[in-house]
Amino acid sequence: MQTMTQRVFNFSSGPAVLPEAVLLQVQRDLYSYPGAGMSVMEMSHRSAAFDGILAEAEANVRALGGISDDYAVLFLQGGASLQFSMLPMNLLTPGRSADYVITGVWGQKAIAEARKVGAVRVAGSTEESGFRRVPTQDELQLDPHAAYVHVTTNNTIYGTQWPDMPEVGDVPLVVDASSDIFSGPLDVPRFGVIYAGAQKNLGPSGVTLVVIRKELLTRSAAGLPTMLNYAVQAEHGSRYNTPNIFGIYVLALVTRWMLDQGGLRPIGEHNARKAAALYGEIDRTGFYRGHAEPEARSRMNITFRLRDASLEDAFAVAATREGLDGLKGHRSVGGLRASMYNAFPEAGVDALVQFMREFERIHG
Ligand code: PMP
């Protein structure tokens, strides 16, 4: 087997690139976590060492998002996909209906699961545009009595992102923020629930962050399966059973790294700079073209085509050879996709822009 000691620029949509400083720290502490004399993988989830790790993970998440005590911060399992079920099981109480805004496949999957639990309405959809945009406020038909409104903040596959969250009045706004959580400033009090699989901006897969307004926990019926009950998970501090302790440990380090960067404002500026550099190149000559409508362009997942689509495979293959990995688009959209989460370095964007210019020079 070929060994690879060099790291590539990893444009994967998730699991995705992690901060180098975090990887090195994990490597240093892998064999023996300081003070514990054992690896994090080997320690009890009730140990003092893990108490500290879990407390730090929660404190970092709260510090980053300015999240008050009005919210519970949970570290669950089952990915964002389990939240598609868990959310309606807890919040879609009998006799009510929930609004879903559909801006891509993940929203479709979320509403499909909710439909198995109770009544749902489509309050808006951009499917007719091939999910190249998100709805305007005027296009939404919101039920003022809805149990909640569900929105996917960033559409990983299509490369669209809401520039602002919609106005939903007094109805709790619930967001799947899996692919843009903590990618810039976040106005937490606007949300009832924020959930995200960790594997893009927060750490490795296997941990799902759920930030839920505590007053919503009263909706969780006692008859729910215990593991799927938000109130039980909150009461037990995410330790009703054995949580993903290694994943939470890495998440604690990633969120510590984010605080070291100065928090969400500078992180947002960094992401904006990276996205502007790549969209600038996509728009420069017409050899490339962006998939998403300009107003809805994502800063995290940048989807683009080549004018001559028959060159797209060659582009991805040649890019991989140059150490630019993971650029092939999702099979449902085709083309190319550069995912550039928080930990993705500016040098990687520069390298991609250089590669795009060279590819255009040869094939343009
Ligand atoms: N929602 C969004 C926006 C996603 O991008 C993904 C995964 N790419 C999911 C949900 C599903 O996440 P998981 O694999 O953690 O269930």
Side-chain angles (χ1 to χ4, degrees):
M1 198 177 80
Q2 194 185 354
T3 54
M4 186 180 274
T5 48
Q6 284 277 354
R7 281 173 59 80
V8 296
F9 287 121
N10 178 5
F11 291 91
S12 167
S13 60
V17 60
L18 290 169
E20 213 163 73
V22 168
L23 294 176
L24 293 171
Q25 171 97 41
V26 170
Q27 185 183 43
R28 272 198 303 278
D29 295 346
L30 187 68
Y31 185 68
S32 183
Y33 184 75
M38 64 179 81
S39 165
V40 173
M41 287 181 282
E42 301 168 296
M43 64 179 57
S44 163
H45 58 296
R46 312 276 177 206
S47 63
F50 186 66
D51 286 347
I53 290 169
L54 183 61
E56 183 187 342
E58 175 170 343
N60 291 352
V61 166
R62 286 190 185 276
L64 280 167
I67 301 172
S68 76
D69 247 9
D70 296 341
Y71 288 82
V73 172
L74 309 177
F75 301 100
L76 306 182
Q77 300 188 55
S81 297
L82 186 58
Q83 294 309 306
F84 298 165
S85 304
M86 194 166 168
L87 184 79
M89 287 170 87
N90 284 264
L91 298 193
L92 183 46
T93 46
R96 302 181 80 174
S97 133
D99 277 354
Y100 279 72
V101 183
I102 309 299
T103 51
V105 161
W106 297 113
Q108 287 176 325
K109 291 195 169 170
I111 195 173
E113 294 306 312
R115 229 174 237 131
K116 297 176 187 172
V117 175
V120 291
R121 288 175 66 247
V122 175
S125 169
T126 49
E127 189 169 8
E128 95 298 329
S129 78
F131 295 127
R132 283 186 163 81
R133 62 184 195 91
V134 299
T136 60
Q137 183 77 38
D138 296 349
E139 290 173 317
L140 298 179
Q141 293 175 337
L142 297 166
D143 167 7
H145 304 294
Y148 58 85
V149 186
H150 183 279
V151 169
T152 314
T153 54
N154 181 81
N155 298 282
T156 325
I157 294 176
Y158 307 91
T160 63
Q161 188 173 24
W162 291 73
D164 293 302
M165 282 295 100
E167 201 46 67
V168 297
D170 291 334
V171 175
L173 177 59
V174 171
V175 288
D176 174 1
S178 290
S179 52
D180 67 353
I181 181 94
F182 290 167
S183 62
L186 188 65
D187 186 12
V188 172
R190 289 192 65 178
F191 301 96
V193 181
I194 302 168
Y195 68 89
Q199 65 269 23
K200 301 167 198 302
N201 263 337
L202 299 176
S205 62
V207 186
T208 312
L209 174 66
V210 177
V211 178
I212 180 167
R213 203 185 293 150
K214 283 180 183 165
E215 68 187 31
L216 293 173
L217 295 174
T218 58
R219 291 197 200 174
S220 300
L224 288 173
T226 308
M227 281 296 290
L228 302 182
N229 184 316
Y230 285 137
V232 171
Q233 293 288 3
E235 204 179 305
H236 289 82
S238 308
R239 282 189 285 190
Y240 178 80
N241 76 331
T242 316
N244 179 350
I245 62 168
F246 193 78
I248 293 169
Y249 154 70
V250 180
L251 184 145
L253 295 181
V254 171
T255 49
R256 188 195 294 174
W257 172 84
M258 290 169 73
L259 289 166
D260 289 345
Q261 305 302 299
L264 299 186
R265 192 165 297 282
I267 284 174
E269 288 162 3
H270 184 241
N271 287 326
R273 270 200 308 281
K274 290 184 292 183
L278 184 48
Y279 284 120
E281 182 59 23
I282 288 169
D283 293 339
R284 198 171 57 85
T285 65
F287 182 79
Y288 303 99
R289 57 191 169 82
H291 177 75
E293 306 247 324
E295 323 74 70
R297 282 177 160 182
S298 170
R299 289 175 174 183
M300 299 279 96
N301 312 98
I302 295 178
T303 45
F304 60 103
R305 310 296 307 244
L306 269 64
R307 189 173 45 207
D308 177 356
S310 71
L311 289 172
E312 286 168 352
D313 283 345
F315 180 99
V317 169
T320 306
R321 226 183 291 123
E322 295 296 314
L324 306 168
D325 195 68
L327 285 164
K328 201 166 160 47
H330 189 274
R331 60 194 177 282
S332 62
V333 172
L336 299 148
R337 171 174 57 172
S339 297
M340 306 195 299
Y341 299 111
N342 290 343
F344 191 87
E346 254 168 315
V349 187
D350 296 342
L352 176 57
V353 166
Q354 283 315 310
F355 175 81
M356 289 166 76
R357 291 195 174 186
E358 182 61 11
F359 193 84
E360 180 174 347
R361 194 184 63 73
I362 297 168
H363 299 278

